[in-house]
């Protein structure tokens, strides 16, 4: 698949001269948790290695995009609101996003946008909202493109497959991991030899049957540190340039993904645990061994990891942990073990969470259109 695929041909550009004046779309889009991590990217948000994630269900961003045709002016024109409050500090990130995607959505400068967004998880929870936020916005913009095409003379809607693919393509240009938040419970992003149709340009649904052991898998997010991220993802990915172990890490990610395909098909929970924990610790090892170097885990992160290992040894449970680029711990476990693991979390792990806060989530299936006007 080539980038040109996402640029409308000259005949369709004409159709943008439609009389569409104003309207609104509302999409709700989930966060996701990577099992094999994306860490390191090339120009234009192309990942250095393929990644795979579970889509979450409860951690979501809902975004309403209101658009109205502008009288004049060639600049981007938009306002952003979080929970009803104007947030000018979010504007630079969206401006960068618009600049990156305007080639693919040539109507962007012709409209004024009001972007109203809210998260189901607290803004200050330390849970990154970029994946859910950028995917929700990309979907709203795709709905708008669809509307523009349909409202023009003889216009037809985009087919569903293209709509989803382009939404993921655009979301990636907002934040890499956002392209894994559009559709599907398990999503792969990045070209991988064993996954037909996989692409560096957008996320695809895991194309094989996932074993029922992973059905309704749980992700309980322990909020160890709710502060601002110590290392932004842009800075983080840049640490992989010239990193002494980078090339080996990228190769390892390919191998881990090959292995993960097999594990997900066979429902091998023990192998799943080894892979997922190794990926989490490798991500942090990359940060610790880069220049400059960072330790993003907190003492409580390590306490939790040790408690999880001890619990697993004692009980034979299949819970495991994974980490993002921060101190919070995602505890992953099968549906069958929900009661037992939640009991363990309440008794032994909550004390390491800031103000005792944690969020219970499970695997979800992707984004939803909530409203259109
Ligand atoms: C550690 O997607 O936030 O969560 O493309 O710069 O926006 P940008 O990065 P981002 O990086 C996510 C990194 C990660 C691993 C992952 O989700 O695969």
């Amino acid at each position: 698949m080539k980038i040109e695929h996402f640029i409308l041909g000259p005949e369709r550009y004409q159709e943008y001269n439609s009389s569409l004046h104003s309207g609104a779309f509302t999409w709700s889009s989930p966060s996701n948790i990577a099992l094999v991590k994306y860490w390191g990217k090339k120009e234009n948000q192309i990942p250095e290695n393929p990644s795979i994630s579970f889509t979450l269900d409860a951690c979501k961003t809902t975004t309403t995009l209101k658009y109205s045709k502008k009288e004049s002016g060639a600049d981007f024109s938009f306002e952003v609101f979080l929970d009803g409050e104007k947030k000018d500090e979010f504007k630079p990130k969206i401006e960068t996003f618009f600049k990156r995607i305007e080639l693919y959505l040539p109507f962007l400068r012709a409209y004024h946008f009001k972007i109203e967004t809210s998260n189901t998880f607290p803004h200050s929870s330390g849970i990154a909202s970029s994946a859910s936020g950028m995917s929700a916005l990309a979907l709203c913009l795709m709905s708008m493109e669809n509307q523009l095409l349909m409202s023009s003379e003889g216009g037809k809607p985009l087919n569903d497959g293209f709509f989803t693919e382009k939404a993921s393509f655009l979301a990636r240009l907002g934040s890499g991991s956002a392209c894994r938040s559009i559709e599907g419970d398990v999503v792969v992003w990045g070209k991988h030899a064993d996954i037909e149709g996989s692409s560096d340009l957008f996320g695809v649904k895991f194309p094989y049957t996932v074993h029922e052991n992973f059905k309704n898998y749980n992700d309980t997010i322990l909020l160890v540190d709710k502060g601002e991220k110590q290392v932004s993802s842009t800075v983080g990915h840049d640490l992989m340039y010239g990193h002494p172990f980078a090339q080996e890490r990228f190769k390892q990610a390919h191998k881990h993904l090959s292995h993960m395909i097999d594990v997900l098909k066979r429902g091998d929970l023990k192998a799943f645990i080894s892979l997922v924990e190794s990926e989490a610790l490798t991500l942090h090892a990359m940060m610790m061994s880069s220049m400059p170097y960072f330790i993003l885990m907190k003492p409580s992160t390590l306490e939790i990891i040790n408690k999880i290992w001890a619990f697993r040894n004692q009980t034979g449970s299949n819970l495991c942990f994974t980490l993002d680029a921060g101190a919070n711990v995602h505890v992953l476990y099968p549906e069958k073990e929900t009661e037992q693991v939640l009991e363990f979390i309440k008794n032994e792990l909550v004390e390491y969470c800031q103000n005792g806060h944690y969020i219970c989530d499970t695997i979800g299936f992707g984004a939803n259109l909530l409203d259109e006007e």
Side-chain angles (χ1 to χ4, degrees):
M1 187 71 68
K2 297 239 166 61
I3 285 179
E4 290 73 41
H5 178 66
F6 297 105
I7 305 175
L8 292 179
E11 70 289 355
R12 297 216 89 181
Y13 272 110
Q14 296 303 321
E15 297 172 12
Y16 272 165
N17 297 327
S18 84
S19 53
L20 192 67
H21 283 288
S22 60
F25 291 99
T26 304
W27 276 88
S28 159
S29 192
S31 186
N32 67 73
I33 180 68
L35 307 170
V36 173
K37 309 285 180 182
Y38 148 57
W39 198 242
K41 58 178 158 182
K42 304 177 200 163
E43 285 280 287
N44 299 323
Q45 296 283 102
I46 298 300
E48 287 279 10
N49 65 260
S51 56
I52 185 167
S53 51
F54 279 165
T55 304
L56 297 183
D57 188 47
C59 289
K60 283 188 167 140
T61 298
T62 298
T63 297
T64 298
L65 179 77
K66 294 185 175 154
Y67 58 93
S68 48
K69 198 135 190 191
K70 282 193 322 199
E71 294 301 320
S72 59
D75 288 339
F76 294 125
S77 164
F78 62 94
E79 310 155 273
V80 198
F81 295 82
L82 174 68
D83 298 327
E85 215 177 285
K86 202 158 188 236
K87 290 278 175 193
D88 285 341
E89 62 269 36
F90 290 176
K91 289 186 82 173
K93 202 162 178 190
I94 293 175
E95 176 100 20
T96 305
F97 179 48
F98 278 7
K99 277 188 194 145
R100 285 184 191 159
I101 63 173
E102 70 168 320
L103 175 63
Y104 312 103
L105 298 177
F107 57 83
L108 284 181
R109 289 181 194 266
Y111 287 84
H112 173 75
F113 298 102
K114 190 170 179 196
I115 303 164
E116 296 168 338
T117 191
S118 62
N119 299 318
T120 56
F121 46 91
H123 181 55
S124 59
S125 61
I127 297 182
S129 58
S130 63
S132 51
M134 284 299 176
S135 53
L137 183 54
L139 284 158
C140 289
L141 290 166
M142 278 311 294
S143 284
M144 192 179 161
E145 168 164 276
N146 205 27
Q147 192 66 42
L148 276 161
L149 292 172
M150 282 198 308
S151 62
S152 61
E153 229 183 276
K156 289 192 216 78
L158 296 166
N159 81 47
D160 287 352
F162 181 81
F163 183 100
T164 309
E165 214 165 75
K166 185 165 172 181
S168 177
F169 173 87
L170 297 174
R172 172 183 59 87
L173 293 169
S175 178
S177 54
C179 78
R180 298 189 312 238
S181 279
I182 305 287
E183 191 190 46
D185 48 355
V186 183
V187 181
V188 176
W189 167 40
K191 187 96 200 98
H192 187 274
D194 302 341
I195 299 191
E196 221 188 290
S198 58
S199 170
D200 285 345
L201 301 179
F202 49 83
V204 295
K205 269 207 258 191
F206 184 69
Y208 311 109
T209 306
V210 175
H211 193 278
E212 64 172 60
N213 282 353
F214 295 104
K215 211 174 138 215
N216 298 326
Y217 223 67
N218 291 293
D219 178 3
T220 300
I221 309 163
L222 307 180
L223 305 176
V224 168
D225 183 17
K226 302 200 247 166
E228 277 285 303
K229 275 213 240 171
Q230 198 185 322
V231 181
S232 75
S233 58
T234 313
V235 172
H237 289 286
D238 281 355
L239 297 174
M240 292 304 273
Y241 283 116
H243 190 297
F245 309 138
Q247 295 312 318
E248 283 308 310
R249 159 61 196 156
F250 303 146
K251 277 192 226 157
Q252 179 198 46
H254 279 267
K255 276 196 208 136
H256 279 176
L257 186 44
S258 295
H259 195 176
M260 185 57 88
I261 294 169
D262 186 52
V263 164
L264 292 175
K265 283 184 185 167
R266 286 191 300 108
D268 185 340
L269 294 173
K270 298 294 175 215
F272 178 80
I273 292 170
S274 306
L275 266 179
V276 166
E277 293 191 346
S278 160
E279 274 291 315
L281 294 179
T282 301
L283 169 72
H284 281 252
M286 287 297 118
M287 282 181 253
M288 286 191 228
S289 51
S290 58
M291 198 59 91
Y293 40 81
F294 296 94
I295 299 181
L296 300 186
M297 289 188 254
K298 299 276 183 213
S300 292
T301 313
L302 286 174
E303 294 284 0
I304 290 169
I305 291 174
N306 281 312
K307 290 258 175 171
I308 286 175
W309 285 344
F311 182 74
R312 215 161 57 211
N313 278 338
Q314 283 156 18
T315 64
S317 164
N318 288 301
L319 88 170
C320 68
F321 71 86
T322 188
L323 307 165
D324 271 340
N328 294 336
V329 182
H330 289 247
V331 186
L332 303 180
Y333 50 101
E335 186 183 22
K336 272 189 194 158
E337 296 185 23
T338 306
E339 213 178 306
Q340 180 200 14
V341 174
L342 273 179
E343 194 61 23
F344 161 66
I345 289 174
K346 279 182 206 146
N347 292 340
E348 298 201 40
L349 303 185
V350 162
E351 62 185 284
Y352 301 107
C353 301
Q354 254 187 23
N355 310 321
H357 284 167
Y358 61 94
I359 297 174
C360 289
D361 210 335
T362 48
I363 291 195
F365 292 90
N368 291 100
L369 176 63
L370 298 184
D371 201 11
E372 51 190 316
E373 276 168 36

